[in-house]
Amino acid sequence: MIEIELDGQKVEITEGSMIMHAADKAGTYIPHFCYHKKLSIAANCRMCLVDVEKAPKPMPACATPVTQGMIVRTKSDKAIKAQQSVMEFLLINHPLDCPICDQGGECQLQDLAVGYGASSSRYEEEKRVVFHKDVGPLISMEEMSRCIHCTRCVRFGQELAGEMELGMIHRGEHSEITTVLNDTVDSEVSGNMIDLCPVGALTSKPFRYQARPWELSRRKSVSPHDSTGANLIVQVKNNKVMRVLPLENDAVNECWLADRDRFSYEALNTTERLTQPMLKQGGEWKPVDWQTALEYVANGLRQIKADHGAASIGTLASPHSTVEELFLAAALMRAMGSENIDYRLRNAEFPKTEAAGTTPSVRWLGTTIASLSNLQRALVIGSNLRKDHPLFAMRVRAATRKGATVSLIHDVEQDWAMPVKNKLIAPAGQWVQALADVAGAIAAEKGVSGPISTQASTGSARTEVKALAQSLLAGERKAILLGNAAAHHASASSILALANWIGEQTGATVGYLTEAANTVGAQLAGALPGANGLNAGQMLAGGLKAVLLLNTEPEFDSAAGRAAVAGLNKAQMVVTLSPFKANLEFSDVLLPIAPFTETPGTFVNAEGLVQGFHAVVKPLGETRPAWKVLRVLANMLGLPGFDYESAQEVLAASRGGDHAQAASVQGNVLGNRTSAAIDLSPSAGRPATAAIYQLDSIVRRAPSLQLTADAKRAAAVAEGEPA
């Protein structure tokens, strides 16, 4: 540590830090545009010029290293005059369009111009004009004349997103930010460039001209999509969600959002929303009141239970539902005498060890999300990390920039926008053998017995296998990460057993990336079949007479795909609880339930962090929170123990009372152990996984996301066309 003097205050700071870092530590604000704490230093806006004693001219605070005894003045006449001069230069070519600029009211240039700008310009020359660019459905580059060339967007793409999609061409007053080849910006985290832009050059295309910042209410929430549990600021006007921004949380999403977290809100305002209960009568859908709809459901469940027994009734629940909703759905089934409830819609294997009543370990990440940024070795199995978990990928990408080695086992080679040193590309049915080969190579290197008595295949001699094994044996901070395809694999238990053995031998943590916002929470809530209950695969195959579908569309959300329609058509009654007009083909009742913006609830992310949120807008039309619908349905069925008055009471019941207020799940509950025997037999078929913008019912209905290159590529693959 060294000590400097900053505006008369002594500040201790790590050697090698910049003056800007010392100012941040001291709580002193230095005006800036190009500097950002998460990006590399560019020092090209010069707005942060400060007065350093004995320096012949003002120095940029963001790029001047501190030295012992340095004396810095940020508010001296010399510093202020330098900053005012820079502001004058920045405004020479800036258009005078603040009244119509979308950035107005939250513009860094506008704010600093008030403090450092003059009331008029000395320059009378014609202002330059930069031609607008069309870079896709999410980012608007219509007013690039406003750009001040801070290059934040360029550096974000190059350093954090992993792809330099934007760059600066030409020099001097001809400089401009562009895609160079007139391509679109297709990164799955591209929306962060909008937040980074300190002027109105990059703005949100879906939000364009919708509202002024000062008209919007700001409310906290949590993303309902992947397992990061990204913290959100939801901005609301007239009871309508207008925009979603990141809420900074370094332990979870830092200050970033994936595009599906940022832009999926559009689906909440579409005509696809279900706003009142509906019954199918004579093949036509008729709107009814809640009393009529719930009485129909309650009477139907009673009749089917009397005729076929409680075991003929079941619930398929989405892991994107809240803990409260999943807990009540499970409690409702069990109170009726049925053990048929499952959230594992895309799974191909349903091990009995996970059955309710046996105190199963809750599958989780195996480490903290923040630790992914500091890994030295990572092995990812069965995941398109970049698209399945964009914010996890950003952290692993950050680790590679510090020298981490990433390895993968997958059935297709994909561009993760980061260096992947070791790749084992094999059909999904051979992943167990591939992992056994790696285990065999590790056993040979260490001189220990392998995890299976049979010899690994001759593939163990392959250079790739040996390189991967040696990579895991080196380094210190290591993780083996099982992706969505590994979790949904027909031999998921064998993959986990081998991963655990490798983890023990190499000192790596072992965990699941987990697919959905509440995959961990669904396990904690008991949304798993009991000892004699049917699993999701059996229920989707037509094993039930009455089916409740909680926030899910089995045709798109399950491994059964289109076959789920035929299976559910065998049921006498199918009840869909959804925010959208979904499952029309085979449902008999549609009950409108609130999406995450219209209900309080709780999600448990991949690392076991419990994050609660409140409704940010009132429910649309006759929509009701799902936990209330399930509670009232239980009351109408005359089931005891459903007298909850609030979502908080439901959460407390789901967590057993003792740990109801804990911020994270107790460590002894989480675990990725398995007692399953390793089976090297190759399995048939590819595990079911969702494309980035097909993950859940909300993203599937977000118009702008469905216009992206990723969505179009997924649609082409679904139709059998080449990607």
Side-chain angles (χ1 to χ4, degrees):
M1 301 288 283
I2 59 177
E3 185 178 81
I4 71 167
E5 183 182 308
L6 184 76
D7 291 338
Q9 176 185 355
K10 299 292 185 182
V11 181
E12 278 197 352
I13 191 73
T14 308
E15 189 173 359
S17 299
M18 303 297 162
I19 294 173
M20 185 70 81
H21 301 142
D24 287 342
K25 184 175 181 180
T28 299
Y29 178 73
I30 298 175
H32 61 273
F33 293 111
C34 69
Y35 171 78
H36 190 277
K37 62 184 178 181
K38 299 288 185 181
L39 300 175
S40 64
I41 292 168
N44 53 10
C45 78
R46 317 308 280 184
M47 190 65 211
C48 64
L49 292 176
V50 293
D51 181 7
V52 178
E53 191 169 280
K54 297 182 180 177
K57 58 183 180 180
M59 304 294 288
C62 69
T64 304
V66 293
T67 57
Q68 180 64 38
M70 175 185 276
I71 298 174
V72 181
R73 301 179 183 89
T74 68
K75 296 176 176 63
S76 67
D77 288 343
K78 184 177 180 181
I80 296 295
K81 187 173 180 180
Q83 292 162 359
Q84 289 174 338
S85 298
V86 170
M87 177 58 71
E88 183 176 20
F89 276 110
L90 288 174
L91 293 177
I92 288 173
N93 276 312
H94 198 78
L96 299 174
D97 60 353
C98 292
I100 62 159
C101 178
D102 250 15
Q103 198 86 348
E106 53 187 8
C107 173
Q108 209 172 331
L109 182 67
Q110 196 177 52
D111 293 342
L112 292 181
V114 172
Y116 299 90
S119 58
S120 60
S121 174
R122 292 184 288 169
Y123 293 84
E124 298 178 354
E125 289 76 12
E126 188 174 324
K127 291 181 181 287
R128 76 172 195 152
V129 175
V130 180
F131 192 69
H132 67 85
K133 289 95 179 168
D134 182 4
V135 293
L138 305 180
I139 299 176
S140 172
M141 294 180 73
E142 290 293 314
E143 286 89 14
M144 289 306 292
S145 298
R146 299 170 183 161
C147 179
I148 61 169
H149 307 141
C150 69
T151 68
R152 280 183 176 184
C153 57
V154 177
R155 284 175 284 147
F156 173 82
Q158 187 175 16
E159 298 163 13
L160 299 177
E163 278 192 307
M164 189 174 173
E165 294 182 289
L166 293 176
M168 184 185 289
I169 59 172
H170 307 311
R171 299 184 68 182
E173 70 169 6
H174 301 293
S175 299
E176 59 178 289
I177 301 291
T178 176
T179 58
V180 182
L181 299 178
N182 295 323
D183 297 327
T184 53
V185 174
D186 298 324
S187 170
E188 63 285 347
V189 290
S190 64
N192 294 296
M193 296 178 184
I194 299 168
D195 295 339
L196 288 171
C197 184
V199 296
L202 304 182
T203 54
S204 169
K205 193 171 279 190
F207 178 66
R208 189 172 164 81
Y209 298 147
Q210 295 298 305
R212 287 298 197 178
W214 55 84
E215 299 175 310
L216 304 173
S217 301
R218 296 161 57 88
R219 293 157 193 178
K220 298 178 183 178
S221 192
V222 179
S223 169
H225 305 305
D226 66 35
S227 58
T228 309
N231 291 197
L232 312 177
I233 294 173
V234 182
Q235 298 191 328
V236 176
K237 178 183 177 183
N238 297 333
N239 204 48
K240 181 179 177 182
V241 176
M242 303 298 291
R243 184 167 62 166
V244 171
L245 298 174
L247 174 62
E248 186 168 352
N249 184 340
D250 269 344
V252 181
N253 58 298
E254 300 177 280
C255 54
W256 315 119
L257 283 184
D259 286 350
R260 67 180 164 201
D261 301 326
R262 182 185 300 271
F263 296 107
S264 65
Y265 73 89
E266 283 189 293
L268 307 176
N269 305 322
T270 65
T271 56
E272 284 284 298
R273 284 294 302 273
L274 178 67
T275 57
Q276 56 187 12
M278 301 185 82
L279 288 179
K280 187 184 284 184
Q281 297 174 334
E284 293 188 7
W285 287 102
K286 307 286 186 183
V288 296
D289 58 54
W290 270 105
Q291 185 71 20
T292 302
L294 289 174
E295 282 181 356
Y296 180 93
V297 175
N299 292 335
L301 291 175
R302 281 196 204 95
Q303 188 64 49
I304 289 170
K305 180 179 178 181
D307 294 344
H308 304 282
S312 65
I313 301 171
T315 296
L316 292 163
S318 167
H320 300 276
S321 303
T322 65
V323 169
E324 294 83 351
E325 294 163 0
L326 291 160
F327 172 76
L328 283 181
L332 175 64
M333 284 296 102
R334 294 190 168 110
M336 291 188 68
S338 171
E339 290 289 346
N340 304 327
I341 178 162
D342 209 345
Y343 76 92
R344 301 167 297 176
L345 304 178
R346 292 193 175 99
N347 282 34
E349 183 191 67
F350 302 93
K352 286 294 182 184
T353 52
E354 290 192 44
T358 59
T359 317
S361 293
V362 173
R363 304 300 189 220
W364 69 302
L365 185 61
T367 184
T368 63
I369 292 173
S371 70
L372 298 178
S373 300
N374 297 309
L375 290 175
Q376 292 182 349
R377 297 290 185 272
L379 169 59
V380 183
I381 305 167
S383 175
N384 182 1
L385 185 65
R386 178 182 174 186
K387 302 299 181 183
D388 293 346
H389 300 88
L391 296 180
F392 289 175
M394 284 182 68
R395 287 191 178 271
V396 175
R397 191 176 293 121
T400 64
R401 289 177 60 80
K402 301 172 191 173
T405 299
V406 177
S407 307
L408 70 83
I409 297 176
H410 205 20
D411 62 348
V412 62
E413 191 163 347
Q414 294 153 325
D415 179 12
W416 286 5
M418 71 177 84
V420 179
K421 188 170 183 180
N422 306 300
K423 302 178 184 179
L424 280 185
I425 307 299
Q430 298 175 20
W431 288 352
V432 178
Q433 183 62 64
L435 209 51
D437 292 347
V438 175
I442 289 172
E445 285 281 337
K446 295 190 69 176
V448 299
S449 298
I452 47 180
S453 56
T454 57
Q455 291 295 314
S457 75
T458 54
S460 62
R462 287 188 302 173
T463 305
E464 301 97 311
V465 172
K466 287 185 175 180
L468 199 159
Q470 288 166 355
S471 170
L472 286 174
L473 287 166
E476 295 178 358
R477 299 180 296 276
K478 314 170 196 177
I480 299 172
L481 304 171
L482 304 177
N484 297 347
H488 304 156
H489 200 279
S491 301
S493 295
S494 294
I495 291 174
L496 177 58
L498 282 165
N500 279 330
W501 186 90
I502 294 171
E504 289 169 3
Q505 296 298 320
T506 61
T509 62
V510 177
Y512 285 95
L513 294 167
T514 68
E515 179 184 44
N518 210 22
T519 300
V520 176
Q523 299 169 76
L524 293 166
L528 290 162
N532 299 312
L534 300 179
N535 60 49
Q538 293 166 324
M539 287 190 269
L540 288 165
L544 299 174
K545 295 295 182 182
V547 188
L548 274 65
L549 299 175
L550 176 59
N551 199 25
T552 184
E553 299 170 84
E555 182 179 353
F556 308 107
D557 293 333
S558 76
R562 184 63 190 171
V565 176
L568 292 168
N569 269 325
K570 296 177 183 177
Q572 291 182 20
M573 182 174 74
V574 177
V575 181
T576 290
L577 294 83
S578 173
F580 302 103
K581 298 168 186 173
N583 305 330
L584 301 179
E585 187 174 349
F586 49 79
S587 294
D588 300 288
V589 189
L590 298 180
L591 302 178
I593 61 169
F596 77 106
T597 52
E598 299 170 18
T599 180
T602 306
F603 291 137
V604 185
N605 72 1
E607 74 167 54
L609 183 65
V610 180
Q611 298 189 105
F613 55 91
H614 298 286
V616 299
V617 292
K618 296 177 182 176
L620 186 64
E622 293 297 310
T623 297
R624 296 290 180 269
W627 73 267
K628 285 188 177 181
V629 175
L630 292 165
R631 184 204 65 192
V632 172
L633 181 57
N635 293 339
M636 294 180 75
L637 286 166
L639 303 175
F642 288 85
D643 52 356
Y644 305 106
E645 293 296 325
S646 67
Q648 286 75 18
E649 287 183 24
V650 181
L651 177 65
S654 74
R655 302 195 66 189
D658 293 341
H659 307 302
Q661 303 305 317
S664 59
V665 178
Q666 302 305 303
N668 60 343
V669 177
L670 302 172
N672 296 309
R673 306 303 304 169
T674 180
S675 57
I678 298 168
D679 182 1
L680 292 177
S681 304
S683 56
R686 191 180 191 279
T689 56
I692 182 170
Y693 299 131
Q694 294 294 318
L695 182 62
D696 58 66
S697 58
I698 296 179
V699 293
R700 283 195 293 270
R701 290 173 170 83
S704 295
L705 291 179
Q706 295 307 316
L707 293 174
T708 60
D710 278 323
K712 291 177 180 177
R713 194 176 300 118
V717 170
E719 293 172 9
E721 300 173 13

